Amino acid sequence: MNAIRVRVFGKVREIVGAETVDLPAGPAETTATVLDALIGRYPPLEPWRQYLRVALNQEYVPMERRVSPGDEVAVIPPVSGG
Amino acid sequence: MNAIRVRVFGKVREIVGAETVDLPAGPAETTATVLDALIGRYPPLEPWRQYLRVALNQEYVPMERRVSPGDEVAVIPPVSGG
Amino acid sequence: MPPVVVDIVEGRIDSAKLIAAVSDPAAGGTAVFIGTTRTPSEGREVRYLEYEAYRPMALKQMTVIAETARSRWSLAGVCAVHRIGRVEIGEASVVIAVSAVHRGAAFEACRFIIDTLKKEVPIWKKEVFAEGHAWAGP
Amino acid sequence: MPPVVVDIVEGRIDSAKLIAAVSDPAAGGTAVFIGTTRTPSEGREVRYLEYEAYRPMALKQMTVIAETARSRWSLAGVCAVHRIGRVEIGEASVVIAVSAVHRGAAFEACRFIIDTLKKEVPIWKKEVFAEGHAWAGP
């Protein structure tokens, strides 16, 4: 079984306590299932769910987008640059 | 008879050939009569008349404003700073 | 036309260098925005800020935003630099400089770039107080 | 609040100094406009520019404009400097810098100051060509 490595930032990184999380990958992962698995492992993320975006290969993508092996996956909390 | 010293700038200064012009002052001078006298002395200013503003004591004033002895009078062609 | 220049840096941003980078003999106006860290924030005294970035994605997005502005407003030059790491109060966290033939285009493009950067680019700000800290939230 | 700073100078304008002059710990954004002399102008190659001012009136008006902007947009700092005399192509003829708590105010105030300055302040620009010259006309 492959693993999906998820990059996390900001408040999410702080809750997770690391810059990346490896999640077990099933045969039909999507951005939504990856986010569910991450929040399942770190329940304090639950209140943030509605504000999180997912980027695949450094592009924002909608939920339910298929995640393929080798994709660079990142969970993006509300940005606050500037 | 007093003289009115008129400061001129830019294109008007160039046409006049000096930075100031002394005009004879009658008893009831206004910004309009001063402008008329200046243009009367330098006819090449005529096409500029509609674009000229007059400042009294470093403030723009409307035409027909009374000019008193000692007022600082300036004829202001279209500004183009910036 | 000078190329679009975007960067994410860890030290001070030199605004004068960015302004020089967008200068162009055909440009009549350069608009610059400098975002500076400030205190107080929502009533709390801020000691300093910490910025972090998802660097490769942030650079890609900054490039897209800058190129979009360049073509939309026919800019002569565009430069956008964001700082990350610790930033003291009053220091620049971001500088945008754009030059154009006319000033209207320069102002609008500069505003567009900073507004879009703040909404889209994956960079995060943490405000550090005398006690505790806060991530700029949703 | 730092006072409004306006000036008319004969040498180069140091933008970095103006930006520093409006910096304030409570300010989150500084907007800067730099007007630069350009070529061509209406199809003619410009060699350099000459600016002249009705200096005391221009300074008074610049002060009024800057104070108006400061109170209208609650600015932290305002600085406006115009250069006169000969200005080479690509050099700054005018620099406006304003700082405010939020960037919207900084952008709007900066734009207001340069727009109003160009309409009202008694300063004149002469474009010098290879042959002849022209005063920027009505």
Side-chain angles (χ1 to χ4, degrees), chain D residues 44-48 126-135:
Chain D
R44 292 183 76 179
E45 191 65 19
V46 180
R47 282 181 55 223
Y48 63 89
K126 186 173 78 172
E127 294 173 324
V128 180
F129 311 109
E131 288 187 16
H133 68 257
W135 291 93

Side-chain angles (χ1 to χ4, degrees), chain D residues 63-82:
Chain D
T63 304
V64 169
I65 294 166
E67 288 287 7
T68 301
R70 179 161 75 149
S71 67
R72 190 177 298 177
W73 284 278
S74 300
L75 302 178
V78 191
C79 199
V81 177
H82 204 294

